[in-house]
């Protein structure tokens, strides 16, 4: 049975709006050249992701090494501890007598003072998460010379004795007992050898409709789901009279930088509908939410399953491990629930979940059901019966599975947990040329909290969990088949660098950065006197692709309560939501420079390569170390190449409250608006950008105060079929609060354009937008030439 989303308009790899196919192809070729100039090893992957061979009959790029260029650390191999999968923990850890376990190497390093740990080729399975702290300062974990080690958070499942379960009517399902000495209470995922059947070596929890979550189904806008209309959702729990609910409201200091009072005060709801979060607090649980679609958080409490759409109902097994995975309506995030199934009415009452996003709704959107034995009916699906310790697998071949598949169960949420503090930090830790894999999903297993006033929920988890570090370096590493986040930079960190690394097939975000303020459930959450937040992150020259397979509100890089990050020269593509997200303003000072971002919002609506919010003020000393205030440093978005294809609404989506952005010298292909501002946004400056086939050059939906105006000048803007160049709020009000516009070059199909519906020439007679011109749309070569000149290509 086939289900489609119905509500999504997929641009995919085709054209956007009125952009001619010829331009689209030339623009995509330029993207490959841009990628090659940043990360030569990315060019073939970019060519494939943009489907240049199929869509544009373009030859692949010149051959480049596929190896990431890692920093030469100049390590002394004679002063190192060696680890080999065939070593022995009774050895001395020398090159000729290596240890067997990474944990033993850490223990030896602490005892001996040797701070270089080198790993040989092979898959190093950890028995437990490796916890590091200040005692490990100065330690380097790296690949031995000419070796390619893999560190896995999974547990091997060797010598499984497979027996036939159901091999009739096209099925090929086998079952194996899981030995008790493996200590597996659950198998949250099942991985096996890379490349089997042409996928990435992951089996799928038995589900309906049948699909593999990490494969992009263009027709369905992601994986196949049941339409949101094919469900009866149970009403949310009523918290209106909950005595545990309290509201935090900081009246002063406030921001006082918008005329309409939007997002001026620190506001939190505590308890009540937020009881599902850890800590139990959120801006969206308060009674004072503002902005687009604002209302107090809530989620449905259950669902009634319809046998006419789920052919395997009723579930005689009782479906004790059942999971419901549902998009929030409008596809802003997805929720996962566990629930209690009742066979008499096919109802599921949710017992856990709904905390994977911060924005609620009375009903769910497109959804699927999984982890149900009766739904094991499709190749590559598995089901682990936790009560009986039996593993079922629908093998896509003849006969039973074999040990050659190297089955493993991802069981650890983190491989390394760096657990230190600002009072006693772990300094100068380095991870070089290592591959990380096999960490488990965290979408229901780990507690989620609301990082700030954006739409996100997050869990402080990652293959590498980083807290309390200074001068950390992750360089030349590979993160693949990670079922949670790749790297989580949490709490106090200074000068953390992640560079020259690749993230692929990730269940959550590639990299997340989430600080802490002085409190969680009180007014102290407004203040940052403790300095317990990331500052001066550097994310450079990385490739991130195929992310957000399980939790959809994820990005290649996201930050909250984080300041002065530099995200530069990365290549990011193939994600379900925004490419890069700033969840708040906090102290500002961030730089997004020289990145290629495309194929974002592949499974969702709105946003695009970049998205920001700033609904919550915070009290920091980022602007001036000697003064705490709600002020923030300006942020820059510069020298980037963004393609707003698929369902992207904007290339640069400055959403509710976003402020103090200088966006300049970018090439932005396709967008609803060039400059976009709304709901309390201000101090948004766009200049010297090239907007190629955009709906409007500027759509400013926020009213502003003198001293906090938006600016739009010296841009080149090619409209995608409309003649409307710009519109803005307050056009009938005082002109001293209009956005400042001048010296733009606008190109439209007929060589005319308007501002707020008024012909440009007529509008300029009022003395505004002087120097702006309009012409007909130039040739593809001219537009591409502008971009080549901009980037020096």
């Amino acid at each position: 049975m086939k289900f489609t989303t119905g509500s999504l308009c997929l641009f995919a790899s085709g054209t956007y709006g009125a952009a001619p196919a010829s331009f689209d192809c030339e623009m995509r070729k330029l993207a490959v050249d841009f990628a090659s100039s940043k990360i030569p090893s990315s060019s073939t992957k970019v060519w494939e992701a943009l489907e240049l061979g199929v869509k544009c009959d373009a030859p692949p790029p010149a051959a480049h090494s596929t190896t990431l260029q890692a920093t030469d650390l100049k390590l002394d191999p004679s002063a190192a501890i060696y680890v080999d999968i065939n070593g022995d923990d009774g050895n001395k850890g020398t090159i000729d007598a290596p240890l067997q376990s990474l944990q033993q190497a850490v223990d030896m390093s602490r005892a001996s003072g040797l701070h270089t740990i080198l790993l040989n080729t092979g898959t190093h399975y950890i028995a437990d998460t490796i916890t590091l702290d200040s005692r490990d300062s100065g330690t380097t974990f790296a690949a031995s010379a000419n070796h390619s080690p893999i560190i896995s958070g999974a547990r091997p499942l060797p010598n499984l004795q497979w027996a036939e379960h159901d091999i009739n009517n096209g099925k090929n399902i086998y079952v194996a007992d899981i030995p008790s000495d493996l200590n597996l209470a659950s198998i949250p995922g099942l991985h096996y050898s890379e490349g089997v059947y042409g996928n990435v070596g992951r089996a799928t929890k038995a589900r309906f409709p049948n699909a593999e979550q990490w494969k992009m189904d263009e027709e369905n806008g992601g994986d196949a789901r049941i339409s949101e209309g094919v469900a009866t959702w149970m009403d949310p729990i009523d918290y209106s009279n909950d005595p545990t609910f309290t509201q935090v409201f900081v009246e002063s200091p406030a921001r006082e930088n918008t005329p309409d009072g939007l997002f001026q005060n620190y506001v939190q709801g505590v308890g009540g509908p937020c009881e599902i979060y850890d800590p139990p607090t959120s801006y969206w649980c308060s009674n004072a939410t503002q902005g687009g679609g604002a209302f107090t958080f809530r989620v449905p409490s259950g669902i009634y399953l319809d046998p006419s759409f789920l052919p395997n109902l009723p579930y005689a097994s009782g479906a004790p491990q059942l999971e419901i995975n549902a998009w929030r309506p409008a596809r802003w995030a997805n929720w996962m629930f566990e629930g209690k199934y009742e066979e008499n009415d096919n109802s599921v009452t949710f017992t856990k979940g709904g905390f994977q996003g911060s924005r609620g709704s009375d009903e769910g959107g497109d959804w699927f059901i999984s982890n149900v034995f009766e739904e094991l009916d499709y190749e590559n699906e598995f089901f682990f019966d936790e009560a009986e310790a039996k593993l079922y697998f629908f093998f896509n071949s003849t006969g039973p599975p074999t040990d050659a598949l190297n089955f493993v169960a991802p069981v650890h949420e983190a491989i390394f947990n760096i657990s230190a503090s600002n009072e006693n930090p772990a300094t100068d830790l380095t991870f070089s040329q290592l591959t990380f894999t096999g960490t488990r999903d965290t979408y229901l297993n780990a507690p989620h909290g609301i990082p700030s006033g954006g739409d996100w929920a997050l869990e402080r988890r990652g293959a590498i969990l980083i807290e309390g570090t200074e001068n950390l370096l992750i360089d030349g590493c590979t993160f693949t088949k990670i079922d949670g986040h790749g790297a989580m930079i949490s709490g106090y960190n200074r000068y953390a660098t992640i560079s020259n690394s690749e993230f692929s097939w990730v269940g959550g975000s590639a990299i997340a950065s989430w600080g802490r303020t002085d409190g969680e459930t009180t007014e102290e959450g407004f203040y940052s006197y403790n300095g317990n937040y990331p500052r001066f992150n550097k994310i450079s020259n990385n490739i991130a692709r195929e992310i957000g397979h399980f939790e959809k509100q994820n990005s290649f890089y996201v930050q909250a309560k984080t300041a002065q990050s530099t995200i530069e020269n990365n290549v990011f593509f193939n994600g379900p939501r925004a490419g890069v997200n700033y969840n708040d303003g906090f102290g500002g000072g961030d730089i997004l420079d020289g990145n290629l971002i495309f194929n974002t919002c592949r499974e969702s609506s709105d946003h695009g390569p970049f998205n920001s919010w700033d609904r919550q003020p915070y009290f920091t000393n980022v602007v001036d170390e000697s003064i705490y205030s709600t002020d923030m440093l300006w942020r820059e978005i510069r020298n980037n190449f963004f393609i707003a294809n698929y369902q992207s609404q904007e290339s640069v989506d400055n959403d509710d409250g976003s402020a103090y952005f200088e966006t300049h010298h970018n090439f932005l292909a396709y967008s609803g608006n060039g400059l976009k501002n709304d709901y309390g946004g201000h101090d948004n400056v766009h200049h010297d950008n090239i907007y190629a086939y955009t709906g409007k050059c500027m759509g400013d939906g926020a009213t502003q105060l003198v001293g906090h105006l938006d600016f739009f000048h010296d841009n080149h803007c090619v409209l995608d079929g409309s003649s409307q160049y710009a519109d803005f709020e307050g056009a009938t009000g005082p002109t001293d609060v209009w956005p400042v516009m001048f010296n733009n070059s606008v190109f439209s199909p007929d060589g005319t354009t308007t501002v707020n519906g008024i012909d440009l020439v007529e509008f300029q007679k009022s003395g505004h937008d002087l120097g702006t011109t309009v012409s007909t749309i130039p040739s593809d070569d001219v537009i591409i030439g502008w971009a080549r000149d901009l980037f020096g290509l």
Side-chain angles (χ1 to χ4, degrees):
M1 191 175 294
K2 193 174 188 66
F3 298 90
T4 58
T5 61
S7 60
L8 292 178
C9 178
L10 300 179
F11 293 116
S13 293
T15 59
Y16 183 102
S22 58
F23 169 80
D24 192 69
C25 285
E26 293 306 311
M27 179 271 296
R28 291 169 189 267
K29 293 174 188 176
L30 179 65
V32 173
D33 291 347
F34 184 87
S36 298
S37 73
K38 301 296 180 180
I39 307 175
S41 63
S42 72
S43 59
T44 298
K45 296 183 180 76
V46 170
W47 178 83
E48 292 171 347
L50 289 171
E51 298 185 83
L52 272 160
V54 174
K55 301 293 185 182
C56 302
D57 196 27
H64 289 287
S65 169
T66 58
T67 303
L68 292 160
Q69 298 299 309
T71 302
D72 184 359
L73 300 178
K74 303 188 185 305
L75 300 175
D76 180 0
S78 66
I81 298 168
Y82 286 81
V83 183
D84 189 285
I85 60 173
N86 296 312
D88 189 309
D89 281 351
N91 286 343
K92 295 181 179 181
T94 62
I95 191 169
D96 297 318
L99 302 176
Q100 190 273 330
S101 73
L102 188 52
Q103 182 62 62
Q104 182 64 19
V106 171
D107 295 342
M108 183 177 286
S109 172
R110 291 172 176 173
S112 67
L114 293 174
H115 291 301
T116 299
I117 296 174
L118 299 179
L119 286 76
N120 292 340
T121 294
T123 300
H124 300 254
Y125 293 102
I126 58 171
D128 292 294
T129 296
I130 308 296
T131 299
L132 307 176
D133 56 35
S134 59
R135 293 173 294 173
D136 304 295
S137 293
T139 301
T140 293
F141 299 84
S144 301
N146 303 313
H147 282 256
S148 301
I150 299 168
I151 309 176
S152 176
R155 186 161 299 163
L157 305 176
N159 304 315
L160 295 178
Q161 302 301 306
W162 294 99
E164 293 177 358
H165 171 70
D166 184 354
I167 58 170
N168 299 310
N169 301 315
K171 294 182 179 179
N172 196 41
I173 301 173
Y174 285 78
V175 60
D177 292 313
I178 299 299
S180 59
D181 60 3
L182 290 179
N183 297 315
L184 289 173
S186 67
I187 295 182
L190 187 65
H191 296 184
Y192 48 83
S193 298
E194 189 81 17
V196 179
Y197 321 134
N199 67 19
V200 295
R202 277 193 182 113
T204 305
K205 286 182 183 177
R207 56 168 282 172
F208 185 84
N210 298 318
E212 292 185 304
Q213 280 180 261
W214 42 88
K215 289 189 175 181
M216 180 63 191
D217 184 330
E218 302 281 357
E219 183 178 352
N220 287 313
D223 57 343
R225 291 174 181 249
I226 302 171
S227 172
E228 63 182 270
V230 186
T232 301
W233 300 90
M234 297 183 189
D235 291 339
I237 297 172
D238 183 2
Y239 289 98
S240 57
N241 296 312
D242 189 330
T244 69
F245 175 77
T246 59
Q247 181 151 302
V248 174
F249 186 90
V250 178
E251 186 171 352
S252 180
R255 287 201 273 213
E256 300 181 355
N257 52 19
T258 67
D260 45 21
L262 288 173
F263 314 120
Q264 301 299 282
N265 301 90
Y266 180 82
V267 178
Q268 289 281 97
V270 181
C274 263
E275 67 177 7
I276 63 175
Y277 296 118
D278 184 12
T281 182
S282 166
Y283 171 82
W284 294 105
C285 289
S286 76
N287 294 325
T289 60
Q290 298 174 314
F295 56 85
T296 302
F297 175 81
R298 54 188 178 269
V299 292
S301 61
I303 186 173
Y304 292 96
L305 306 177
D306 186 342
S308 66
F309 282 89
L310 280 86
N312 295 318
L313 284 174
Y315 297 140
S317 68
Q321 301 163 210
L322 170 151
E323 296 176 8
I324 297 290
N325 184 313
W327 278 103
R328 181 202 179 277
R331 294 198 166 202
W332 288 359
N334 65 323
W335 304 317
M336 293 83 153
F337 300 94
E338 293 176 354
K340 179 176 174 54
Y341 170 72
E342 294 290 348
E343 186 176 348
N344 63 330
D345 62 356
N346 289 312
S347 66
V348 178
T349 301
F350 298 147
T351 57
K352 183 180 181 181
F355 44 62
Q356 298 86 1
S358 70
R359 303 294 296 272
S361 181
D362 291 343
E363 299 182 339
D366 305 328
W367 61 284
F368 68 85
I369 189 168
S370 69
N371 211 21
V372 176
F373 179 70
E374 285 83 355
E375 299 299 351
L376 182 64
D377 59 2
Y378 191 67
E379 61 190 38
N380 201 42
E381 288 188 338
F382 80 96
F383 178 80
F384 178 60
D385 186 327
E386 295 175 0
E388 300 295 328
K390 291 183 180 293
L391 176 63
Y392 298 83
F393 182 54
F394 193 133
F395 187 38
N396 183 24
S397 187
T398 57
T402 69
D403 274 353
L405 289 176
N406 298 315
F407 285 106
V408 299
V411 295
H412 296 295
E413 295 176 341
I415 293 172
F416 284 100
N417 177 8
I418 306 168
S419 183
S421 66
N422 52 351
E423 295 87 2
N424 196 15
T427 62
D428 301 296
L429 284 166
T430 297
F431 301 86
S432 175
Q433 295 183 285
L434 304 170
T435 292
F436 300 99
T437 191
T439 52
R440 67 158 295 167
D441 60 62
T442 51
Y443 59 81
L444 272 166
N445 192 59
H448 286 56
I450 303 304
S452 55
D455 287 4
W456 285 56
L458 276 174
E459 61 273 50
R460 294 187 189 270
R461 298 291 192 274
I464 300 184
L465 177 56
I466 304 158
E467 183 143 8
T469 74
E470 295 176 359
N471 302 313
L472 171 112
L473 175 63
I474 298 172
D475 185 79
C477 292
T478 298
F479 295 73
T480 188
K481 284 198 290 185
I482 298 293
D483 286 358
H485 299 309
M488 165 61 75
I489 306 169
S490 172
Y492 176 83
N493 289 277
R494 295 292 185 271
Y495 298 99
T497 296
I498 301 176
S499 56
N500 302 310
S501 295
E502 181 165 0
F503 299 78
S504 64
W505 310 108
V506 177
S509 288
I511 304 168
S513 180
W514 178 13
R516 304 178 192 269
T517 46
D518 293 357
E520 301 284 7
T521 59
T522 67
E523 291 186 2
E524 297 302 310
F526 172 58
Y527 301 97
S528 65
Y529 296 124
N530 60 18
N532 197 6
Y533 55 87
R535 198 168 178 184
F536 310 115
N537 292 343
K538 185 176 181 181
I539 312 299
S540 65
N541 296 89
N542 302 288
I543 302 170
R545 59 188 179 90
E546 278 73 42
I547 62 100
H549 296 311
F550 300 123
E551 291 191 67
K552 301 303 181 182
Q553 184 70 287
N554 276 294
S555 292
F556 308 114
Y557 174 80
V558 56
Q559 70 173 45
K561 297 176 185 170
T562 296
Q564 294 169 289
S565 298
T566 298
I567 306 98
E568 63 182 7
N569 300 329
N570 302 284
V571 175
F572 296 156
F573 58 94
N574 291 355
R577 292 289 281 143
V580 171
N581 173 262
Y582 294 169
N583 210 57
D584 52 49
F586 205 65
D590 307 293
I591 297 172
L592 187 65
D593 181 19
N595 304 281
L596 172 63
I597 308 179
F598 64 95
N599 287 7
T600 60
C601 292
R602 293 202 304 169
E603 302 178 49
S604 58
S605 57
D606 64 31
H607 298 333
F610 176 82
N611 166 240
S612 66
W613 297 287
D614 189 12
R615 300 181 179 113
Q616 284 279 52
Y618 291 99
F619 208 56
T620 81
N621 66 340
V622 172
V623 173
D624 184 334
E625 295 283 347
S626 64
I627 299 173
Y628 281 83
S629 73
T630 60
D631 295 340
M632 60 180 286
L633 294 171
W634 281 78
R635 291 162 151 174
E636 284 189 79
I637 301 175
R638 67 193 189 199
N639 306 317
N640 300 287
F641 191 139
F642 292 167
I643 306 174
N645 55 339
Y646 283 89
Q647 288 77 246
S648 293
Q649 178 179 288
E650 257 81 42
S651 284
V652 177
D653 182 14
N654 292 129
D655 220 334
D656 297 12
S658 296
Y660 304 106
F661 278 93
E662 183 186 5
T663 300
H664 62 100
H665 294 93
N666 302 285
F667 181 72
L668 307 173
Y670 312 150
S671 197
N673 296 280
L675 180 153
K676 182 254 188 176
N677 216 3
D678 63 10
Y679 296 107
H682 57 89
D683 292 284
N684 192 339
V685 176
H686 278 227
H687 67 87
D688 295 285
N689 299 294
I690 300 167
Y691 310 96
Y693 293 98
T694 185
K696 292 193 296 287
C697 307
M698 189 190 78
D700 198 337
T703 55
Q704 280 130 27
L705 293 173
V706 173
H708 292 286
L709 302 180
D710 293 343
F711 281 71
F712 190 84
H713 64 90
D714 295 286
N715 301 290
H716 281 59
C717 180
V718 180
L719 295 169
D720 72 357
S722 166
S723 63
Q724 188 174 17
Y725 148 53
D727 63 23
F728 55 86
E729 286 291 310
T732 60
T735 59
D736 62 348
V737 293
W738 286 7
V740 179
M741 305 154 62
F742 57 91
N743 289 351
N744 298 295
S745 299
V746 182
F747 303 88
S748 71
D750 64 0
T752 67
T753 194
T754 63
V755 179
N756 287 331
I758 302 171
D759 181 79
L760 173 63
V761 175
E762 195 64 28
F763 181 76
Q764 289 174 324
K765 292 178 181 178
S766 65
H768 294 276
D769 206 2
L770 300 181
T772 292
T773 61
V774 61
S775 307
T776 55
I777 294 175
S779 68
D780 299 341
D781 288 345
V782 169
I783 300 171
I784 297 300
W786 296 338
R788 289 193 176 278
D789 290 345
L790 178 67
F791 296 132
L793 296 175

